[in-house]
Structure formats: C-alpha cells, structure tokens
Amino acid sequence: MRIDADFECGSIIVQELTDTGAILSIRPDTETDYFQWFYFRVTGAPDIARTFKFANAGEARYEKAWQYYQVVASYDEKNWFRVPTEYDGSTLTIKHTAVESTTSYAFFVPYLTAQREALLQECESSLLVTRHSIGRSYLGKQLDMVEIGDAVHPVRKIWVMARQHAGESMAEWATEGLIKRLLDPLDSASHALLSKAKVYVVPNINPDGSALGNLRANAAGVDPNRSWAEPNDKIPEIVAIQKAMKEIGVDLFLDMHGDEERPFIWIGHPDVNQSTKAKQIQHQLAQELAERNPEIRPAPKGYGDVVIQKTSRSDNLSFASNWVAATFNCPALITELPFAKPAHMSEDTMLQEGCLRFGRTCVEALNVVVD
Ligand SMILES: [Zn+2]
C-alpha cells in the first residue's frame, strides 16, 4: 500500500505504514503551528479492511470538529462520499474497505485550480462577464475576480469573496453555484439581479494556501481574515482586494467560509457600528437565505463575544466583514458552511452539490434585498 499527498492541496504526514493501514499526522499550515486540513491518496489492493489513525487529531485547531465528523472519500475525485470516523479525544480513526485500488480521503471535497480555471474560462466566453486580475498572491499567483453584469446605468455593487481560509473549499463550491446561475440568461432571478447590480466575485483570495494544503494561512503563514486592519507585504492578497474594493466601491458584501465544528450552516453579522438601513438589509438577506436553506441554524450564541474576546475592540477591523461594513457603511455577511454533515438533516445535503445549491440560492436572496 502507498500513501501520496504530493499534489495540489495534498497534505498528510505518514508516520507508520503497513498493508492494512497507517498512523498519520496532520501537517501544520505553512509557517504556523495549527493544522486540520488533510487530503491524501491511498493506492493498494482493494477489498482489504484498512485502518488509518490520525495521531495528532486531538491537537487540531478545531478539536471539537471531530465529534460530528465523517471523512470524505472518492475513487475518482469526482464523486465523493462520507466514511464514518471514530474519535476518542486524541486520535481520529477511519476504518474503510475500499472497493477500488485508489482512494482519496480529504477533510472536505477539494476544489482545485483546474476547476477554477475552467469556470473562469466559461465566464470569459459570456458577454456578461469581464475577468480581472486584482493583483498577485504572496507566491505570485494571479488573484482572479469576475465582474458579472452589463447594466450601464449606476448599479449596486455586490462583492462575494471565498476562501480567505485556504482549506474551506465549500466556500468556493458555493461561489461556483452563484456564478453559474448568474451566467444563465434564462434565469429570472439572475436577470432581475443583474438589471440593478453588478456582482464582483473573487472565488479564491488565498490560492497559495489552498494549493499548499493549508487550513487557513497564506504562504507566509498569515491568516487572511485577521489581517484587514493593517495588511502588510506578507499578505498581499488582502492589500490587493482592499485596493480593488476602494476603486470600484462596495454596496453589499458576502464573505464565504466553512465552519469546522458546527454541523449546520450559519450566517454571521458584522460587529461594528452600522446604519439602520445596512442592518435591516443584512437581517433580511439572512432571513431570505434561511428560507431557502433548511441547513441554516441560528448563528452560534455569543459569536460577536468570541470575536471581541480574541481581539480588542480597536482591532476587530482585522476581520473582512467588519472592515468592509465599516469602510463602506454597507451590509456585510459571513456565510459558514459545515465541514460535517448537517446534524439535523436526515440526508447528507452539504457535500459539493449542497454547496453549489447554497450559492445558487444566494442569487435569489440577493435579488430580493437589493433595490
Ligand atoms: Zn473561514
């Protein structure tokens, strides 16, 4: 049996390997000491019961995540399914009898550069879309942004950004759902929204971290969503998007994430002073999303308190949603899709199809609240 992770987004450390399993440890993000993302491929004879033990799972960034967790696996990298795991408080164990000779296991369904590039090329063939590069990542990758909509009179400017946190691939799946729906000329919600708004989508603001197989950090070890107050040259991704936002303007912002611990979707609100109108629109948008997504549950209690505890009041502008809401006095929401199967749903509705569907519902919800 062989275990590989030497490919895009791949990450695992093999400590011990036998024919019936392995002892693994999860590798820390680049230049940091926290970890949780993994993605590796096992090659070997099928129909053998194998056991994979993650020896350092108990020290992962979000240790509680393992409580509800089931690993995602695939034989062809297209169709992903869950495999149950066991967690004893320190070790996470996968027991699986693969029916093919190659099996991929990941923290969540990966979203790779080739997929993004294919989607961006599809965008480029649409008359509705202009593809931009807003700058370069720490390692020099293009930071792609698509401007969707051809209305010429003054229109609302909606920004959607995903994957500040490198391993939160569900967020990028969601932007694909949103983008593809906006490209459909026969879709009435898209048509209506684009008659009054332009939508600026950054599907992956942290392409280095994603490709490196990080959970959160960029290639310099910086957490993008703690860097908005004063981004420096170690986080050029945030310098670039702030510049683009200031040049273009922002009337509404969605910051898409994944939540490691909570087995449901939740929507977070900014924690800064905002106009009553901005708050009203945020509230309405969150409600419209909840009506369309039964996986949504109320935001974790005290979410705002958690934010304040971790950072002082003066630097809570280091969070994207707070910075955008404060800088543009506009509505701004965080959307958090789960790594785990939604606990209150009988079906596992939040693999990649569910994330795409969530993105599609954003179009309808935005159309209701944007005037
Ligand atoms: Zn995140």
Side-chain angles (χ1 to χ4, degrees):
M1 186 182 71
R2 207 176 73 223
I3 297 182
D4 295 304
D6 188 15
F7 44 79
E8 187 192 343
C9 304
S11 184
I12 201 67
I13 297 167
V14 180
Q15 290 183 357
E16 266 181 59
L17 187 66
T18 67
D19 243 15
T20 56
I23 297 175
L24 309 167
S25 65
I26 308 174
R27 177 181 64 69
D29 280 20
T30 318
E31 305 287 331
T32 65
D33 55 7
Y34 56 76
F35 53 84
Q36 193 124 21
W37 173 265
F38 60 87
Y39 174 26
F40 58 91
R41 213 164 281 152
V42 176
T43 311
D47 302 317
I48 293 175
R50 292 196 172 95
T51 302
F52 302 98
K53 288 184 178 292
F54 294 76
N56 63 348
E59 296 145 54
R61 168 89 181 218
Y62 300 98
E63 187 263 340
K64 284 194 190 117
W66 308 128
Q67 200 182 327
Y68 299 102
Y69 185 65
Q70 298 190 0
V71 68
V72 303
S74 176
Y75 298 123
D76 60 4
E77 303 272 328
K78 286 197 181 81
N79 299 297
W80 292 83
F81 54 91
R82 300 270 190 188
V83 175
T85 60
E86 293 163 19
Y87 181 58
D88 65 6
S90 65
T91 304
L92 180 78
T93 304
I94 307 172
K95 290 180 181 165
H96 187 220
T97 305
V99 299
E100 303 280 348
S101 57
T102 302
T103 313
S104 299
Y105 299 92
F107 188 32
F108 193 74
V109 182
Y111 194 106
L112 304 175
T113 304
Q115 279 172 274
R116 186 179 319 123
E117 193 51 40
L119 177 63
L120 293 169
Q121 284 183 15
E122 189 183 332
C123 284
E124 283 181 292
S125 67
S126 164
L127 293 174
L128 280 175
V129 183
T130 312
R131 178 177 175 176
H132 302 273
S133 169
I134 58 170
R136 287 189 182 272
S137 68
Y138 188 76
L139 296 180
K141 285 194 176 72
Q142 295 282 2
L143 299 170
D144 289 298
M145 183 265 274
V146 285
E147 174 185 352
I148 308 175
D150 59 356
V152 284
H153 50 84
V155 290
R156 298 290 182 190
K157 290 155 181 170
I158 300 168
W159 281 75
V160 181
M161 175 181 68
R163 283 192 100 167
Q164 289 199 79
H165 294 140
E168 293 169 1
S169 50
M170 56 284 287
E172 191 163 3
W173 282 105
T175 61
E176 178 176 321
L178 174 134
I179 289 170
K180 283 197 165 161
R181 183 160 186 185
L182 289 173
L183 294 186
D184 180 357
L186 301 177
D187 186 276
S188 58
S190 299
H191 187 76
L193 179 62
L194 295 180
S195 70
K196 53 195 177 184
K198 278 199 178 186
V199 185
Y200 300 84
V201 187
V202 180
N204 188 328
I205 190 64
N206 187 1
D208 293 346
S210 300
L212 287 164
N214 287 350
L215 177 73
R216 295 172 74 87
N218 80 343
V222 179
D223 184 332
N225 203 29
R226 298 294 182 274
S227 305
W228 284 66
E230 287 175 15
N232 59 26
D233 57 6
K234 289 210 154 171
I235 186 80
E237 297 86 353
I238 303 308
V239 175
I241 192 167
Q242 287 186 344
K243 182 165 175 278
M245 285 177 156
K246 283 178 175 168
E247 281 168 8
I248 292 166
V250 184
D251 294 310
L252 193 152
F253 176 51
L254 286 184
D255 184 17
M256 293 189 162
H257 288 261
D259 186 301
E260 289 80 359
E261 291 180 346
R262 297 172 184 87
F264 50 84
I265 304 177
W266 60 275
I267 309 291
H269 293 246
D271 184 30
V272 291
N273 291 327
Q274 285 180 288
S275 69
T276 309
K277 173 115 194 276
K279 281 187 185 166
Q280 271 171 356
I281 294 171
Q282 272 166 204
H283 184 70
Q284 195 191 357
L285 182 55
Q287 275 192 325
E288 294 294 336
L289 286 170
E291 276 175 26
R292 290 165 175 81
N293 294 281
E295 296 86 358
I296 290 184
R297 283 287 172 267
K301 250 197 170 154
Y303 176 67
D305 301 336
V306 172
V307 172
I308 295 163
Q309 274 168 19
K310 281 187 185 164
T311 62
S312 71
R313 258 282 174 188
S314 58
D315 60 18
N316 80 355
L317 294 182
S318 60
F319 295 83
S321 52
N322 288 346
W323 185 88
V324 173
T327 303
F328 300 97
N329 191 18
C330 71
L333 288 181
I334 306 158
T335 66
E336 296 271 2
L337 308 187
F339 278 84
K341 167 189 171 294
H344 61 287
M345 307 287 291
S346 55
E347 298 286 309
D348 191 352
T349 53
M350 289 310 296
L351 285 172
Q352 69 268 43
E353 250 317 307
C355 301
L356 290 163
R357 179 174 40 76
F358 176 80
R360 291 195 290 270
T361 67
C362 290
V363 175
E364 286 167 32
L366 286 166
N367 182 43
V368 174
V369 305
V370 170
D371 56 13

